[in-house]
Tab-separated table of all heavy atoms in Angstrom:
chain	number	residue	atom	x	y	z
A	987	ARG	N	91.986	4.505	50.261
A	987	ARG	CA	90.757	4.062	50.923
A	987	ARG	C	90.173	5.150	51.826
A	987	ARG	O	88.968	5.164	52.093
A	987	ARG	CB	91.072	2.813	51.747
A	987	ARG	CG	89.882	2.142	52.371
A	987	ARG	CD	90.317	0.978	53.237
A	987	ARG	NE	89.810	-0.290	52.770
A	987	ARG	CZ	90.419	-1.446	52.962
A	987	ARG	NH1	91.590	-1.475	53.585
A	987	ARG	NH2	89.879	-2.559	52.532
A	988	GLU	N	91.005	6.067	52.297
A	988	GLU	CA	90.544	7.126	53.195
A	988	GLU	C	89.790	8.238	52.473
A	988	GLU	O	89.109	9.046	53.112
A	988	GLU	CB	91.742	7.740	53.926
A	988	GLU	CG	92.529	6.750	54.781
A	988	GLU	CD	93.834	7.336	55.282
A	988	GLU	OE1	94.107	8.516	54.954
A	988	GLU	OE2	94.585	6.624	55.979
A	989	LEU	N	89.884	8.271	51.134
A	989	LEU	CA	89.311	9.388	50.387
A	989	LEU	C	87.821	9.194	50.154
A	989	LEU	O	87.356	8.085	49.849
A	989	LEU	CB	90.028	9.539	49.043
A	989	LEU	CG	91.548	9.764	49.109
A	989	LEU	CD1	92.099	9.983	47.711
A	989	LEU	CD2	91.884	10.938	50.019
A	990	GLU	N	87.086	10.292	50.218
A	990	GLU	CA	85.645	10.253	50.025
A	990	GLU	C	85.284	9.763	48.628
A	990	GLU	O	84.318	9.005	48.448
A	990	GLU	CB	85.050	11.638	50.277
A	990	GLU	CG	83.540	11.729	50.081
A	990	GLU	CD	82.769	10.865	51.064
A	990	GLU	OE1	83.296	10.560	52.149
A	990	GLU	OE2	81.619	10.481	50.736
A	991	LEU	N	86.053	10.167	47.603
A	991	LEU	CA	85.707	9.752	46.243
A	991	LEU	C	85.851	8.247	46.072
A	991	LEU	O	85.177	7.638	45.236
A	991	LEU	CB	86.526	10.518	45.201
A	991	LEU	CG	88.050	10.450	45.179
A	991	LEU	CD1	88.576	9.174	44.595
A	991	LEU	CD2	88.596	11.624	44.372
A	992	TYR	N	86.736	7.620	46.863
A	992	TYR	CA	86.826	6.161	46.843
A	992	TYR	C	85.676	5.543	47.644
A	992	TYR	O	85.031	4.593	47.196
A	992	TYR	CB	88.161	5.682	47.406
A	992	TYR	CG	88.218	4.180	47.575
A	992	TYR	CD1	88.537	3.360	46.509
A	992	TYR	CD2	87.913	3.583	48.809
A	992	TYR	CE1	88.560	1.971	46.653
A	992	TYR	CE2	87.936	2.200	48.963
A	992	TYR	CZ	88.260	1.403	47.883
A	992	TYR	OH	88.266	0.044	48.021
A	993	ARG	N	85.403	6.071	48.815
A	993	ARG	CA	84.394	5.466	49.690
A	993	ARG	C	83.016	5.474	49.043
A	993	ARG	O	82.241	4.525	49.215
A	993	ARG	CB	84.351	6.211	51.033
A	993	ARG	CG	85.569	5.941	51.907
A	993	ARG	CD	85.270	6.265	53.368
A	993	ARG	NE	84.937	7.684	53.548
A	993	ARG	CZ	85.813	8.622	53.872
A	993	ARG	NH1	87.093	8.295	54.047
A	993	ARG	NH2	85.440	9.871	54.036
A	994	ARG	N	82.710	6.510	48.292
A	994	ARG	CA	81.370	6.570	47.713
A	994	ARG	C	81.269	5.854	46.360
A	994	ARG	O	80.169	5.703	45.819
A	994	ARG	CB	80.921	8.024	47.559
A	994	ARG	CG	81.686	8.817	46.521
A	994	ARG	CD	81.019	10.163	46.266
A	994	ARG	NE	81.766	10.947	45.299
A	994	ARG	CZ	82.539	11.970	45.568
A	994	ARG	NH1	82.681	12.362	46.835
A	994	ARG	NH2	83.184	12.625	44.617
A	995	ALA	N	82.389	5.395	45.805
A	995	ALA	CA	82.371	4.719	44.514
A	995	ALA	C	81.750	3.326	44.640
A	995	ALA	O	82.088	2.560	45.536
A	995	ALA	CB	83.793	4.615	43.959
A	996	ARG	N	80.842	3.016	43.735
A	996	ARG	CA	80.248	1.684	43.698
A	996	ARG	C	81.057	0.736	42.816
A	996	ARG	O	81.090	-0.470	43.049
A	996	ARG	CB	78.820	1.774	43.152
A	996	ARG	CG	77.865	2.580	44.003
A	996	ARG	CD	76.652	3.008	43.203
A	996	ARG	NE	77.027	3.967	42.152
A	996	ARG	CZ	76.206	4.400	41.207
A	996	ARG	NH1	74.957	3.951	41.179
A	996	ARG	NH2	76.609	5.272	40.308
A	997	ALA	N	81.668	1.286	41.774
A	997	ALA	CA	82.448	0.480	40.838
A	997	ALA	C	83.656	1.284	40.385
A	997	ALA	O	83.578	2.503	40.207
A	997	ALA	CB	81.592	0.075	39.639
A	998	LEU	N	84.773	0.589	40.185
A	998	LEU	CA	86.019	1.224	39.769
A	998	LEU	C	86.530	0.564	38.500
A	998	LEU	O	86.403	-0.652	38.317
A	998	LEU	CB	87.108	1.087	40.845
A	998	LEU	CG	87.025	1.907	42.125
A	998	LEU	CD1	85.938	1.392	43.046
A	998	LEU	CD2	88.383	1.881	42.843
A	999	LYS	N	87.138	1.359	37.641
A	999	LYS	CA	87.924	0.837	36.525
A	999	LYS	C	89.377	1.006	36.909
A	999	LYS	O	89.837	2.119	37.149
A	999	LYS	CB	87.612	1.599	35.235
A	999	LYS	CG	88.067	0.888	33.951
A	999	LYS	CD	89.525	1.022	33.640
A	999	LYS	CE	89.969	2.391	33.235
A	999	LYS	NZ	91.416	2.415	32.830
A	1000	VAL	N	90.100	-0.103	37.039
A	1000	VAL	CA	91.490	-0.069	37.493
A	1000	VAL	C	92.361	-0.784	36.467
A	1000	VAL	O	92.012	-1.879	35.997
A	1000	VAL	CB	91.659	-0.743	38.874
A	1000	VAL	CG1	93.082	-0.549	39.385
A	1000	VAL	CG2	90.652	-0.180	39.876
A	1001	ASN	N	93.499	-0.176	36.144
A	1001	ASN	CA	94.408	-0.788	35.181
A	1001	ASN	C	94.954	-2.115	35.715
A	1001	ASN	O	95.006	-2.345	36.913
A	1001	ASN	CB	95.570	0.163	34.868
A	1001	ASN	CG	96.381	0.481	36.103
A	1001	ASN	OD1	95.863	1.058	37.048
A	1001	ASN	ND2	97.652	0.108	36.118
A	1002	PRO	N	95.372	-3.012	34.818
A	1002	PRO	CA	95.776	-4.363	35.252
A	1002	PRO	C	97.237	-4.481	35.690
A	1002	PRO	O	97.705	-5.592	35.919
A	1002	PRO	CB	95.530	-5.201	33.984
A	1002	PRO	CG	95.766	-4.252	32.853
A	1002	PRO	CD	95.272	-2.911	33.339
A	1003	ASP	N	97.953	-3.361	35.838
A	1003	ASP	CA	99.374	-3.434	36.154
A	1003	ASP	C	99.607	-3.805	37.630
A	1003	ASP	O	98.774	-3.583	38.507
A	1003	ASP	CB	100.045	-2.108	35.820
A	1003	ASP	CG	99.930	-1.783	34.344
A	1003	ASP	OD1	100.705	-2.343	33.557
A	1003	ASP	OD2	99.042	-0.974	33.973
A	1004	THR	N	100.812	-4.332	37.899
A	1004	THR	CA	101.141	-4.863	39.226
A	1004	THR	C	101.043	-3.833	40.351
A	1004	THR	O	100.524	-4.154	41.430
A	1004	THR	CB	102.539	-5.488	39.205
A	1004	THR	OG1	102.585	-6.482	38.178
A	1004	THR	CG2	102.875	-6.136	40.539
A	1005	PRO	N	101.533	-2.590	40.193
A	1005	PRO	CA	101.473	-1.671	41.334
A	1005	PRO	C	100.060	-1.317	41.764
A	1005	PRO	O	99.864	-0.856	42.893
A	1005	PRO	CB	102.232	-0.432	40.843
A	1005	PRO	CG	102.284	-0.548	39.367
A	1005	PRO	CD	102.280	-2.015	39.058
A	1006	GLN	N	99.052	-1.549	40.895
A	1006	GLN	CA	97.671	-1.282	41.301
A	1006	GLN	C	96.940	-2.546	41.770
A	1006	GLN	O	95.738	-2.503	42.039
A	1006	GLN	CB	96.905	-0.617	40.147
A	1006	GLN	CG	97.193	0.878	40.016
A	1006	GLN	CD	98.604	1.167	39.556
A	1006	GLN	OE1	99.063	0.599	38.554
A	1006	GLN	NE2	99.310	2.040	40.264
A	1007	LEU	N	97.665	-3.658	41.873
A	1007	LEU	CA	97.057	-4.872	42.426
A	1007	LEU	C	96.481	-4.641	43.820
A	1007	LEU	O	95.350	-5.075	44.101
A	1007	LEU	CB	98.088	-6.008	42.444
A	1007	LEU	CG	97.686	-7.293	43.170
A	1007	LEU	CD1	96.430	-7.894	42.568
A	1007	LEU	CD2	98.843	-8.308	43.132
A	1008	PRO	N	97.165	-3.951	44.741
A	1008	PRO	CA	96.554	-3.705	46.054
A	1008	PRO	C	95.249	-2.918	45.970
A	1008	PRO	O	94.337	-3.134	46.779
A	1008	PRO	CB	97.634	-2.916	46.807
A	1008	PRO	CG	98.921	-3.286	46.135
A	1008	PRO	CD	98.567	-3.459	44.697
A	1009	VAL	N	95.137	-2.004	45.012
A	1009	VAL	CA	93.901	-1.238	44.849
A	1009	VAL	C	92.780	-2.160	44.392
A	1009	VAL	O	91.644	-2.096	44.899
A	1009	VAL	CB	94.102	-0.080	43.850
A	1009	VAL	CG1	92.771	0.636	43.580
A	1009	VAL	CG2	95.136	0.905	44.367
A	1010	ARG	N	93.082	-3.034	43.438
A	1010	ARG	CA	92.051	-3.933	42.929
A	1010	ARG	C	91.563	-4.881	44.026
A	1010	ARG	O	90.347	-5.094	44.188
A	1010	ARG	CB	92.594	-4.721	41.729
A	1010	ARG	CG	93.014	-3.843	40.559
A	1010	ARG	CD	93.244	-4.647	39.290
A	1010	ARG	NE	94.324	-5.612	39.390
A	1010	ARG	CZ	95.594	-5.373	39.122
A	1010	ARG	NH1	95.969	-4.148	38.747
A	1010	ARG	NH2	96.509	-6.331	39.207
A	1011	ALA	N	92.505	-5.460	44.779
A	1011	ALA	CA	92.118	-6.373	45.858
A	1011	ALA	C	91.309	-5.645	46.921
A	1011	ALA	O	90.314	-6.170	47.448
A	1011	ALA	CB	93.375	-7.004	46.456
Side-chain angles (χ1 to χ4, degrees):
R987 186 184 242 151
E988 300 170 0
L989 302 184
E990 179 64 24
L991 60 77
Y992 172 83
R993 288 200 298 266
R994 68 170 178 256
R996 297 161 293 172
L998 287 73
K999 197 281 291 185
V1000 186
N1001 61 298
D1003 299 281
T1004 304
Q1006 280 69 51
L1007 172 59
V1009 175
R1010 299 193 297 271

